[in-house]
Amino acid sequence: MPALFTQALVFSVYPIRDFRDFLRFASDLVSDGSNIAYVEAGASNLPPLLLLHGFPSSTNQFRDLIPLLSSTHHILAPDLPGFGLTTTPANYTFTFASITDTISLFLAALNWTNYAVYIFDYGAPIALRLALEQPDAIRAIVTQNGNAYVEGFGHPFWDPIMALWENPTPAARALLRDNVLTLNTTRYQYTAGVPSADLPLINPTTYTLDYLQNLYTPTQKDHQLDLLYDYRTNVDLYPRFHEYFRKSQVPLLAIWGKGDPAFVPEGAKAYKRDLKDANVMFVDAGHFALETKVHEIAEEVRRFLGEKGC
């Protein structure tokens, strides 16, 4: 898909208003050869807040959230390697360890050393891997359908992916290629579990952009299949994530779309097992809860981070 076309789509779905005082689009070349596209918003003297998106999206998923938080926070939202407008070297290995290393280099290049995080989907294990490397860097966590517990996996959504983990054959990859990495399944991730009255709030441009920008070409599909297979390594790290929670007692708000078929409500409730003061709440939404409940979520994020001094 032509880069200029994808760039135009990204800009077209941002709300139409004057962002010049608080928002800019940029990119940064880090030492592993990746060029990280990102959105930065809010004054640099405000508390820093890192936004990490999920599969199969990009920072575009935060297009409505960023204006609601930029008056209280200095926001940094990168496109992860394999997504959005970020580019990687031809020999880049698409694993969660590699993506975490790249984002770590990116944060170091921008001198982001102490910050709160808003995590979603793939952004959750990446942020928690960062936390294992630098436990004192993360001041607070907002997890919106960002899983860290086996109880959070929704079935049957994860069944074919877990089958790939158990038996990584070409046939298992082909099943996911033909049935998961599609426009129909991308649409499903946006619409499943959403109350029927809210479905008209979901702009078809969002899931169409996700598909065309991140899943469309054979090479993109290969990268995404590699990441779906590698997701199992995040599960292997769950005991270490839980130990980090218990030792740090990092302030955490779990705000969850309760209709999410991929990461179900039990995953949100499980955080309270290791974080005694974790705040857990639910909104009547699906996986991409920001599409229909962005104002409600933004209000809770501002309240939570304000109470924690973050």
Side-chain angles (χ1 to χ4, degrees):
M1 187 179 183
L4 288 176
F5 180 53
T6 59
Q7 183 76 68
L9 279 174
V10 170
F11 278 93
S12 72
V13 292
Y14 269 81
I16 299 174
R17 53 176 293 184
D18 189 349
F19 285 131
R20 288 174 295 179
D21 291 338
F22 69 95
L23 183 144
R24 71 187 184 101
F25 300 89
S27 63
D28 192 74
L29 185 66
V30 298
S31 60
D32 72 355
S34 300
N35 194 41
I36 306 299
Y38 64 95
V39 179
E40 187 174 13
S44 59
N45 62 344
L46 292 174
L49 176 61
L50 176 67
L51 310 182
L52 293 178
H53 69 81
F55 169 87
S57 195
S58 66
T59 56
N60 182 58
Q61 77 169 82
F62 299 124
R63 67 197 180 281
D64 294 327
L65 181 67
I66 287 172
L68 298 175
L69 298 181
S70 61
S71 63
T72 56
H73 288 84
H74 179 203
I75 292 169
L76 187 65
D79 284 345
L80 300 175
F83 299 88
L85 299 179
T86 286
T87 60
T88 54
N91 62 349
Y92 194 85
T93 302
F94 283 88
T95 66
F96 283 86
S98 294
I99 292 177
T100 302
D101 289 345
T102 300
I103 295 302
S104 181
L105 291 170
F106 168 70
L107 293 173
L110 296 184
N111 199 31
W112 272 56
T113 59
N114 191 248
Y115 47 85
V117 293
Y118 181 111
I119 55 180
F120 167 77
D121 193 89
Y122 277 13
I126 292 165
L128 295 176
R129 286 169 180 260
L130 290 171
L132 294 183
E133 295 175 2
Q134 296 182 314
D136 296 331
I138 295 180
R139 300 173 60 188
I141 297 172
V142 176
T143 174
Q144 184 254 296
N145 298 73
N147 193 49
Y149 293 86
V150 293
E151 296 95 323
F153 288 110
H155 300 279
F157 185 92
W158 279 91
D159 290 352
I161 302 168
M162 291 181 172
L164 177 69
W165 299 352
E166 294 297 322
N167 191 20
T169 63
R173 285 177 68 97
L175 180 68
L176 293 177
R177 182 189 300 270
D178 296 340
N179 295 280
V180 174
L181 304 183
T182 66
L183 179 58
N184 282 340
T185 299
T186 306
R187 181 189 300 113
Y188 170 82
Q189 288 179 265
Y190 274 80
T191 58
V194 176
S196 58
D198 287 346
L199 285 173
L201 298 175
I202 299 175
N203 185 345
T205 303
T206 54
Y207 52 76
T208 303
L209 173 62
D210 285 356
Y211 173 71
L212 292 176
Q213 194 173 51
N214 304 316
L215 306 177
Y216 184 69
T217 70
T219 298
Q220 289 170 324
K221 290 179 188 295
D222 284 339
H223 294 164
Q224 297 301 336
L225 287 167
D226 290 345
L227 287 172
L228 287 172
Y229 178 60
D230 191 65
Y231 198 96
R232 74 198 193 285
T233 65
N234 297 320
V235 182
D236 293 340
L237 287 175
Y238 280 4
R240 292 186 61 195
F241 294 165
H242 303 161
E243 182 183 15
Y244 158 71
F245 294 149
R246 289 191 296 271
K247 286 184 176 180
S248 70
Q249 290 301 305
V250 61
L252 181 137
L253 168 65
I255 186 162
W256 222 259
K258 67 180 182 180
D260 186 354
F263 295 123
V264 297
E266 291 306 312
K269 297 174 186 176
Y271 281 102
K272 293 185 73 69
R273 228 177 23 233
D274 297 305
L275 291 165
K276 60 182 180 180
D277 294 324
N279 295 344
V280 177
M281 64 178 299
F282 299 95
V283 294
D284 196 4
H287 186 60
F288 283 92
L290 290 175
E291 296 302 312
T292 57
K293 301 297 181 185
V294 65
H295 292 280
E296 183 176 340
I297 292 171
E299 181 179 352
E300 293 298 334
V301 171
R302 287 195 301 265
R303 179 195 58 77
F304 169 74
L305 292 178
E307 288 177 353
K308 301 306 178 183
C310 299

PDB file of all heavy atoms in Angstrom, residues 108-131:
ATOM      1  N   ALA A 108      14.748   5.812  25.008  1.00  0.00           N
ATOM      2  CA  ALA A 108      16.046   6.348  25.436  1.00  0.00           C
ATOM      3  C   ALA A 108      16.473   7.512  24.553  1.00  0.00           C
ATOM      4  O   ALA A 108      17.019   8.511  25.042  1.00  0.00           O
ATOM      5  CB  ALA A 108      17.096   5.245  25.420  1.00  0.00           C
ATOM      6  N   ALA A 109      16.217   7.399  23.243  1.00  0.00           N
ATOM      7  CA  ALA A 109      16.601   8.468  22.322  1.00  0.00           C
ATOM      8  C   ALA A 109      15.868   9.765  22.621  1.00  0.00           C
ATOM      9  O   ALA A 109      16.406  10.860  22.417  1.00  0.00           O
ATOM     10  CB  ALA A 109      16.333   8.026  20.883  1.00  0.00           C
ATOM     11  N   LEU A 110      14.633   9.645  23.123  1.00  0.00           N
ATOM     12  CA  LEU A 110      13.838  10.829  23.448  1.00  0.00           C
ATOM     13  C   LEU A 110      13.944  11.199  24.931  1.00  0.00           C
ATOM     14  O   LEU A 110      13.251  12.107  25.390  1.00  0.00           O
ATOM     15  CB  LEU A 110      12.376  10.605  23.066  1.00  0.00           C
ATOM     16  CG  LEU A 110      12.087  10.418  21.578  1.00  0.00           C
ATOM     17  CD1 LEU A 110      10.591  10.310  21.329  1.00  0.00           C
ATOM     18  CD2 LEU A 110      12.669  11.559  20.752  1.00  0.00           C
ATOM     19  N   ASN A 111      14.800  10.469  25.654  1.00  0.00           N
ATOM     20  CA  ASN A 111      15.028  10.745  27.071  1.00  0.00           C
ATOM     21  C   ASN A 111      13.762  10.580  27.908  1.00  0.00           C
ATOM     22  O   ASN A 111      13.523  11.341  28.847  1.00  0.00           O
ATOM     23  CB  ASN A 111      15.633  12.142  27.271  1.00  0.00           C
ATOM     24  CG  ASN A 111      16.303  12.279  28.627  1.00  0.00           C
ATOM     25  OD1 ASN A 111      16.827  11.314  29.192  1.00  0.00           O
ATOM     26  ND2 ASN A 111      16.280  13.486  29.182  1.00  0.00           N
ATOM     27  N   TRP A 112      12.965   9.586  27.564  1.00  0.00           N
ATOM     28  CA  TRP A 112      11.795   9.233  28.377  1.00  0.00           C
ATOM     29  C   TRP A 112      12.226   8.136  29.354  1.00  0.00           C
ATOM     30  O   TRP A 112      12.388   6.978  28.962  1.00  0.00           O
ATOM     31  CB  TRP A 112      10.652   8.749  27.480  1.00  0.00           C
ATOM     32  CG  TRP A 112       9.793   9.875  26.999  1.00  0.00           C
ATOM     33  CD1 TRP A 112      10.189  10.991  26.317  1.00  0.00           C
ATOM     34  CD2 TRP A 112       8.377   9.993  27.178  1.00  0.00           C
ATOM     35  NE1 TRP A 112       9.112  11.791  26.061  1.00  0.00           N
ATOM     36  CE2 TRP A 112       7.981  11.218  26.566  1.00  0.00           C
ATOM     37  CE3 TRP A 112       7.407   9.190  27.777  1.00  0.00           C
ATOM     38  CZ2 TRP A 112       6.654  11.654  26.550  1.00  0.00           C
ATOM     39  CZ3 TRP A 112       6.088   9.619  27.758  1.00  0.00           C
ATOM     40  CH2 TRP A 112       5.724  10.837  27.155  1.00  0.00           C
ATOM     41  N   THR A 113      12.410   8.506  30.597  1.00  0.00           N
ATOM     42  CA  THR A 113      12.951   7.574  31.593  1.00  0.00           C
ATOM     43  C   THR A 113      12.000   7.290  32.743  1.00  0.00           C
ATOM     44  O   THR A 113      12.240   6.358  33.510  1.00  0.00           O
ATOM     45  CB  THR A 113      14.265   8.128  32.167  1.00  0.00           C
ATOM     46  OG1 THR A 113      14.017   9.414  32.761  1.00  0.00           O
ATOM     47  CG2 THR A 113      15.329   8.265  31.083  1.00  0.00           C
ATOM     48  N   ASN A 114      10.921   8.071  32.860  1.00  0.00           N
ATOM     49  CA  ASN A 114       9.992   7.896  33.986  1.00  0.00           C
ATOM     50  C   ASN A 114       8.623   8.392  33.539  1.00  0.00           C
ATOM     51  O   ASN A 114       8.465   9.582  33.245  1.00  0.00           O
ATOM     52  CB  ASN A 114      10.506   8.680  35.200  1.00  0.00           C
ATOM     53  CG  ASN A 114       9.738   8.335  36.469  1.00  0.00           C
ATOM     54  OD1 ASN A 114       9.013   9.169  36.981  1.00  0.00           O
ATOM     55  ND2 ASN A 114       9.908   7.122  36.961  1.00  0.00           N
ATOM     56  N   TYR A 115       7.647   7.505  33.475  1.00  0.00           N
ATOM     57  CA  TYR A 115       6.398   7.839  32.807  1.00  0.00           C
ATOM     58  C   TYR A 115       5.293   6.882  33.248  1.00  0.00           C
ATOM     59  O   TYR A 115       5.550   5.789  33.775  1.00  0.00           O
ATOM     60  CB  TYR A 115       6.577   7.733  31.288  1.00  0.00           C
ATOM     61  CG  TYR A 115       7.268   6.450  30.856  1.00  0.00           C
ATOM     62  CD1 TYR A 115       6.558   5.278  30.653  1.00  0.00           C
ATOM     63  CD2 TYR A 115       8.652   6.411  30.685  1.00  0.00           C
ATOM     64  CE1 TYR A 115       7.203   4.095  30.297  1.00  0.00           C
ATOM     65  CE2 TYR A 115       9.303   5.238  30.331  1.00  0.00           C
ATOM     66  CZ  TYR A 115       8.570   4.086  30.140  1.00  0.00           C
ATOM     67  OH  TYR A 115       9.210   2.920  29.800  1.00  0.00           O
ATOM     68  N   ALA A 116       4.059   7.282  33.045  1.00  0.00           N
ATOM     69  CA  ALA A 116       2.916   6.384  33.150  1.00  0.00           C
ATOM     70  C   ALA A 116       2.651   5.783  31.777  1.00  0.00           C
ATOM     71  O   ALA A 116       3.081   6.334  30.755  1.00  0.00           O
ATOM     72  CB  ALA A 116       1.696   7.140  33.650  1.00  0.00           C
ATOM     73  N   VAL A 117       1.951   4.653  31.742  1.00  0.00           N
ATOM     74  CA  VAL A 117       1.640   4.007  30.469  1.00  0.00           C
ATOM     75  C   VAL A 117       0.150   3.705  30.369  1.00  0.00           C
ATOM     76  O   VAL A 117      -0.504   3.383  31.359  1.00  0.00           O
ATOM     77  CB  VAL A 117       2.436   2.703  30.249  1.00  0.00           C
ATOM     78  CG1 VAL A 117       3.909   2.977  30.072  1.00  0.00           C
ATOM     79  CG2 VAL A 117       2.196   1.704  31.373  1.00  0.00           C
ATOM     80  N   TYR A 118      -0.352   3.836  29.148  1.00  0.00           N
ATOM     81  CA  TYR A 118      -1.691   3.369  28.784  1.00  0.00           C
ATOM     82  C   TYR A 118      -1.457   2.231  27.805  1.00  0.00           C
ATOM     83  O   TYR A 118      -0.882   2.442  26.729  1.00  0.00           O
ATOM     84  CB  TYR A 118      -2.488   4.499  28.138  1.00  0.00           C
ATOM     85  CG  TYR A 118      -3.909   4.142  27.728  1.00  0.00           C
ATOM     86  CD1 TYR A 118      -4.999   4.684  28.393  1.00  0.00           C
ATOM     87  CD2 TYR A 118      -4.166   3.285  26.650  1.00  0.00           C
ATOM     88  CE1 TYR A 118      -6.304   4.388  28.011  1.00  0.00           C
ATOM     89  CE2 TYR A 118      -5.459   2.975  26.267  1.00  0.00           C
ATOM     90  CZ  TYR A 118      -6.528   3.533  26.948  1.00  0.00           C
ATOM     91  OH  TYR A 118      -7.821   3.225  26.562  1.00  0.00           O
ATOM     92  N   ILE A 119      -1.884   1.027  28.172  1.00  0.00           N
ATOM     93  CA  ILE A 119      -1.569  -0.149  27.372  1.00  0.00           C
ATOM     94  C   ILE A 119      -2.837  -0.847  26.918  1.00  0.00           C
ATOM     95  O   ILE A 119      -3.849  -0.876  27.611  1.00  0.00           O
ATOM     96  CB  ILE A 119      -0.653  -1.130  28.139  1.00  0.00           C
ATOM     97  CG1 ILE A 119      -1.268  -1.529  29.486  1.00  0.00           C
ATOM     98  CG2 ILE A 119       0.722  -0.508  28.338  1.00  0.00           C
ATOM     99  CD1 ILE A 119      -0.435  -2.499  30.293  1.00  0.00           C
ATOM    100  N   PHE A 120      -2.751  -1.416  25.736  1.00  0.00           N
ATOM    101  CA  PHE A 120      -3.883  -2.092  25.110  1.00  0.00           C
ATOM    102  C   PHE A 120      -3.354  -3.258  24.291  1.00  0.00           C
ATOM    103  O   PHE A 120      -2.390  -3.110  23.540  1.00  0.00           O
ATOM    104  CB  PHE A 120      -4.632  -1.103  24.204  1.00  0.00           C
ATOM    105  CG  PHE A 120      -5.633  -1.747  23.278  1.00  0.00           C
ATOM    106  CD1 PHE A 120      -6.863  -2.164  23.754  1.00  0.00           C
ATOM    107  CD2 PHE A 120      -5.344  -1.937  21.932  1.00  0.00           C
ATOM    108  CE1 PHE A 120      -7.788  -2.756  22.905  1.00  0.00           C
ATOM    109  CE2 PHE A 120      -6.256  -2.525  21.071  1.00  0.00           C
ATOM    110  CZ  PHE A 120      -7.484  -2.942  21.567  1.00  0.00           C
ATOM    111  N   ASP A 121      -3.962  -4.442  24.470  1.00  0.00           N
ATOM    112  CA  ASP A 121      -3.663  -5.571  23.597  1.00  0.00           C
ATOM    113  C   ASP A 121      -2.143  -5.819  23.537  1.00  0.00           C
ATOM    114  O   ASP A 121      -1.514  -6.029  24.577  1.00  0.00           O
ATOM    115  CB  ASP A 121      -4.279  -5.303  22.220  1.00  0.00           C
ATOM    116  CG  ASP A 121      -4.316  -6.504  21.309  1.00  0.00           C
ATOM    117  OD1 ASP A 121      -5.305  -7.247  21.357  1.00  0.00           O
ATOM    118  OD2 ASP A 121      -3.357  -6.698  20.539  1.00  0.00           O
ATOM    119  N   TYR A 122      -1.514  -5.781  22.357  1.00  0.00           N
ATOM    120  CA  TYR A 122      -0.077  -6.039  22.246  1.00  0.00           C
ATOM    121  C   TYR A 122       0.751  -5.060  23.080  1.00  0.00           C
ATOM    122  O   TYR A 122       1.863  -5.381  23.502  1.00  0.00           O
ATOM    123  CB  TYR A 122       0.371  -5.908  20.783  1.00  0.00           C
ATOM    124  CG  TYR A 122       0.159  -7.132  19.918  1.00  0.00           C
ATOM    125  CD1 TYR A 122      -0.646  -8.203  20.331  1.00  0.00           C
ATOM    126  CD2 TYR A 122       0.747  -7.221  18.660  1.00  0.00           C
ATOM    127  CE1 TYR A 122      -0.837  -9.301  19.521  1.00  0.00           C
ATOM    128  CE2 TYR A 122       0.556  -8.327  17.838  1.00  0.00           C
ATOM    129  CZ  TYR A 122      -0.239  -9.362  18.262  1.00  0.00           C
ATOM    130  OH  TYR A 122      -0.426 -10.451  17.460  1.00  0.00           O
ATOM    131  N   GLY A 123       0.236  -3.870  23.296  1.00  0.00           N
ATOM    132  CA  GLY A 123       0.977  -2.904  24.105  1.00  0.00           C
ATOM    133  C   GLY A 123       1.216  -3.358  25.526  1.00  0.00           C
ATOM    134  O   GLY A 123       2.191  -2.928  26.159  1.00  0.00           O
ATOM    135  N   ALA A 124       0.350  -4.253  26.031  1.00  0.00           N
ATOM    136  CA  ALA A 124       0.482  -4.700  27.422  1.00  0.00           C
ATOM    137  C   ALA A 124       1.770  -5.493  27.650  1.00  0.00           C
ATOM    138  O   ALA A 124       2.578  -5.127  28.519  1.00  0.00           O
ATOM    139  CB  ALA A 124      -0.746  -5.504  27.827  1.00  0.00           C
ATOM    140  N   PRO A 125       2.014  -6.590  26.924  1.00  0.00           N
ATOM    141  CA  PRO A 125       3.261  -7.319  27.180  1.00  0.00           C
ATOM    142  C   PRO A 125       4.511  -6.517  26.860  1.00  0.00           C
ATOM    143  O   PRO A 125       5.554  -6.717  27.490  1.00  0.00           O
ATOM    144  CB  PRO A 125       3.148  -8.563  26.290  1.00  0.00           C
ATOM    145  CG  PRO A 125       2.142  -8.222  25.251  1.00  0.00           C
ATOM    146  CD  PRO A 125       1.175  -7.295  25.924  1.00  0.00           C
ATOM    147  N   ILE A 126       4.418  -5.593  25.904  1.00  0.00           N
ATOM    148  CA  ILE A 126       5.590  -4.771  25.596  1.00  0.00           C
ATOM    149  C   ILE A 126       5.914  -3.863  26.777  1.00  0.00           C
ATOM    150  O   ILE A 126       7.068  -3.767  27.211  1.00  0.00           O
ATOM    151  CB  ILE A 126       5.354  -3.980  24.299  1.00  0.00           C
ATOM    152  CG1 ILE A 126       5.310  -4.950  23.108  1.00  0.00           C
ATOM    153  CG2 ILE A 126       6.444  -2.928  24.101  1.00  0.00           C
ATOM    154  CD1 ILE A 126       4.738  -4.358  21.857  1.00  0.00           C
ATOM    155  N   ALA A 127       4.911  -3.202  27.330  1.00  0.00           N
ATOM    156  CA  ALA A 127       5.145  -2.341  28.494  1.00  0.00           C
ATOM    157  C   ALA A 127       5.638  -3.141  29.690  1.00  0.00           C
ATOM    158  O   ALA A 127       6.519  -2.686  30.440  1.00  0.00           O
ATOM    159  CB  ALA A 127       3.862  -1.594  28.857  1.00  0.00           C
ATOM    160  N   LEU A 128       5.085  -4.321  29.890  1.00  0.00           N
ATOM    161  CA  LEU A 128       5.497  -5.121  31.047  1.00  0.00           C
ATOM    162  C   LEU A 128       6.891  -5.697  30.868  1.00  0.00           C
ATOM    163  O   LEU A 128       7.627  -5.863  31.847  1.00  0.00           O
ATOM    164  CB  LEU A 128       4.463  -6.219  31.312  1.00  0.00           C
ATOM    165  CG  LEU A 128       3.084  -5.679  31.731  1.00  0.00           C
ATOM    166  CD1 LEU A 128       2.078  -6.804  31.875  1.00  0.00           C
ATOM    167  CD2 LEU A 128       3.176  -4.867  33.021  1.00  0.00           C
ATOM    168  N   ARG A 129       7.285  -5.973  29.637  1.00  0.00           N
ATOM    169  CA  ARG A 129       8.676  -6.348  29.392  1.00  0.00           C
ATOM    170  C   ARG A 129       9.600  -5.161  29.690  1.00  0.00           C
ATOM    171  O   ARG A 129      10.687  -5.345  30.253  1.00  0.00           O
ATOM    172  CB  ARG A 129       8.861  -6.798  27.935  1.00  0.00           C
ATOM    173  CG  ARG A 129       8.291  -8.191  27.622  1.00  0.00           C
ATOM    174  CD  ARG A 129       8.274  -8.434  26.121  1.00  0.00           C
ATOM    175  NE  ARG A 129       7.746  -9.735  25.750  1.00  0.00           N
ATOM    176  CZ  ARG A 129       8.474 -10.804  25.434  1.00  0.00           C
ATOM    177  NH1 ARG A 129       9.800 -10.725  25.465  1.00  0.00           N
ATOM    178  NH2 ARG A 129       7.901 -11.941  25.095  1.00  0.00           N
ATOM    179  N   LEU A 130       9.181  -3.950  29.322  1.00  0.00           N
ATOM    180  CA  LEU A 130       9.961  -2.769  29.678  1.00  0.00           C
ATOM    181  C   LEU A 130      10.080  -2.645  31.194  1.00  0.00           C
ATOM    182  O   LEU A 130      11.139  -2.284  31.717  1.00  0.00           O
ATOM    183  CB  LEU A 130       9.301  -1.511  29.103  1.00  0.00           C
ATOM    184  CG  LEU A 130       9.351  -1.330  27.591  1.00  0.00           C
ATOM    185  CD1 LEU A 130       8.456  -0.158  27.179  1.00  0.00           C
ATOM    186  CD2 LEU A 130      10.782  -1.087  27.108  1.00  0.00           C
ATOM    187  N   ALA A 131       9.001  -2.942  31.890  1.00  0.00           N
ATOM    188  CA  ALA A 131       9.005  -2.845  33.349  1.00  0.00           C
ATOM    189  C   ALA A 131       9.973  -3.846  33.977  1.00  0.00           C
ATOM    190  O   ALA A 131      10.599  -3.551  35.008  1.00  0.00           O
ATOM    191  CB  ALA A 131       7.597  -3.067  33.896  1.00  0.00           C
TER     192      ALA A 131
END
